[in-house]
Amino acid sequence: RASGRNTSEKASSHLLQPFKVLATETLSEKALDADVYNAVATEKVDGTCCYVTNYKGQPYLWARLDRKPNKQADKRFKKFLHSKENAKEFHWNTEEDFKPVPECWIPAKEIEKQNGKPVPDENGHIPGWVPVEKNSKQYCWHSSVVSYEFGIALVLRHHPDDPGVLEISAVPLSELLEQTLELIGTNINGNPYGLGSKKYPLHFLTPHGAFQVRNLPTLKHNDLLSWFEGCREGQIEGIVWHCGDGCLIKVHRHHLGLCWPLPDTYMNSKPVIINMNLDKYDCAFDHQSLFNKFSKIDKQKFDRLKDITLDI
């Protein structure tokens, strides 16, 4: 069974199984109200969402952690979703309906609030963040891409002088403050970009909106479908439109009935250069750290991301 949703609405299918979320022929009111026609289209990168903000007096990487309903509240919510009643909204008790989270947890800035309290989203979750501590076991792949001692992060983005080339570099966390980023790599989301290996895992951060989509077709269902299926630039997980009012409109290949991941992604079609420039830190990184390993292949150029190996 398929439930049609207007193009670009975010999927919430995991709560509504066996339903499948598909795009319809028409743009949603939300997309039109946000002036999606004049928005900046960027590649939706397949990883896990992160955030950089201050903690303990310095810039820290934070991992996504949603507050989720406890068993009783979740049961009531699912019953509400599947009921045929025409009730407009589900009433949450934010004090009692949710599982506990660490004391350092903070809600995401963009979520709606009522009486100063965060309102759960359409999935019944309250999006938020927890700081990634050094040597964290739970967030070990997150912590591998940051050094709090030197205040830097391992970042993938376009080369500043050549948009046709990717660059991996050490970026001061202070330059990433209040940004959201995607952590991608060997042990994230099934590794759709084929990065690293089990023995030599490879991870880095990509700022949201870093990869602008070129040659985008018109915002019509069939044109988007053709673009994703037949265009080299279309070999991506999806598109995120960054609208002028701050609204994000998203469409995923799955919304168009297309497969993901793909054997050959657009991300892997560009050469990549390593630009660490760690000499200025005059420091010795831990032997096993990604920063140390990348410093040993500094200035090297690879045909594509999946060709980078760290068996050094």
Side-chain angles (χ1 to χ4, degrees):
R1 294 171 66 188
S3 66
R5 277 205 180 179
N6 291 336
T7 300
S8 314
E9 291 275 342
K10 196 173 181 183
S12 57
S13 55
H14 64 288
L15 273 178
L16 298 172
Q17 296 297 349
F19 295 94
K20 185 179 179 184
V21 179
L22 295 174
T24 62
E25 297 286 339
T26 55
L27 281 167
S28 67
E29 286 297 322
K30 177 185 172 186
L32 293 171
D33 290 346
D35 193 18
V36 69
Y37 286 108
N38 291 305
V40 177
T42 65
E43 176 178 348
K44 185 180 186 303
V45 177
D46 188 1
T48 185
C49 194
C50 305
Y51 174 50
V52 176
T53 194
N54 284 316
Y55 181 62
K56 296 181 179 177
Q58 70 175 98
Y60 250 68
L61 183 69
W62 294 61
R64 176 76 179 261
L65 180 68
D66 290 3
R67 281 201 76 179
K68 296 181 181 179
N70 56 38
K71 192 175 282 187
Q72 294 85 352
D74 191 47
K75 196 173 179 180
R76 283 192 294 115
F77 183 55
K78 284 180 177 173
K79 188 177 178 182
F80 165 80
L81 289 176
H82 289 282
S83 72
K84 298 191 187 297
E85 296 170 21
N86 291 321
K88 287 189 177 177
E89 60 180 296
F90 182 81
H91 294 286
W92 293 102
N93 181 333
T94 50
E95 302 291 330
E96 299 176 5
D97 286 345
F98 290 86
K99 295 175 185 175
V101 286
E103 275 188 36
C104 52
W105 180 88
I106 58 172
K109 282 196 295 188
E110 71 275 6
I111 65 172
E112 186 186 339
K113 290 187 178 179
Q114 284 180 2
N115 302 321
K117 293 178 181 176
V119 177
D121 62 18
E122 72 272 16
N123 300 323
H125 298 175
I126 303 174
W129 311 100
V130 286
V132 174
E133 296 285 11
K134 182 183 177 182
N135 300 325
S136 163
K137 287 185 178 177
Q138 185 178 1
Y139 298 109
C140 59
W141 308 120
H142 292 70
S143 65
S144 73
V145 299
V146 288
S147 167
Y148 295 133
E149 189 178 355
F150 304 108
I152 52 178
L154 199 59
V155 174
L156 169 74
R157 52 192 178 186
H158 282 303
H159 191 283
D161 301 324
D162 187 350
V165 175
L166 299 175
E167 177 189 70
I168 295 172
S169 59
V171 176
L173 280 162
S174 57
E175 289 184 16
L176 303 172
L177 272 171
E178 302 311 314
Q179 289 188 42
T180 54
L181 310 96
E182 204 77 5
L183 175 68
I184 62 173
T186 310
N187 296 293
I188 306 294
N189 274 13
N191 194 16
Y193 304 108
L195 306 176
S197 63
K198 188 174 182 180
K199 191 173 182 181
Y200 301 103
L202 170 58
H203 301 86
F204 29 73
L205 296 165
T206 298
H208 283 164
F211 302 132
Q212 198 165 329
V213 174
R214 311 289 176 186
N215 307 319
L216 193 68
T218 59
L219 294 182
K220 292 179 179 174
H221 187 285
N222 285 344
D223 291 344
L224 278 170
L225 188 63
S226 298
W227 184 82
F228 273 116
E229 280 191 301
C231 183
R232 188 71 189 97
E233 290 93 336
Q235 307 306 295
I236 59 178
E237 185 199 18
I239 302 170
V240 181
W241 285 269
H242 296 252
C243 302
D245 64 355
C247 182
L248 299 177
I249 306 295
K250 305 177 185 182
V251 68
H252 190 291
R253 295 180 71 89
H254 289 158
H255 296 160
L256 297 163
L258 299 175
C259 290
W260 178 264
L262 300 169
D264 190 21
T265 61
Y266 185 54
M267 181 92 75
N268 268 306
S269 70
K270 298 178 182 180
V272 57
I273 191 165
I274 314 300
N275 244 339
M276 298 301 287
N277 296 321
L278 293 176
D279 297 344
K280 58 186 172 185
Y281 293 99
D282 191 29
C283 54
F285 287 92
D286 177 81
H287 177 69
Q288 290 299 320
S289 84
L290 284 177
F291 294 95
N292 181 58
K293 291 180 177 181
F294 270 104
S295 69
K296 292 183 177 179
I297 55 171
D298 200 14
K299 307 306 176 194
Q300 287 190 35
K301 193 172 184 178
F302 297 84
D303 289 338
R304 51 189 188 165
L305 280 171
K306 61 167 66 174
D307 292 339
I308 300 173
T309 54
L310 298 177
D311 52 344
I312 304 158

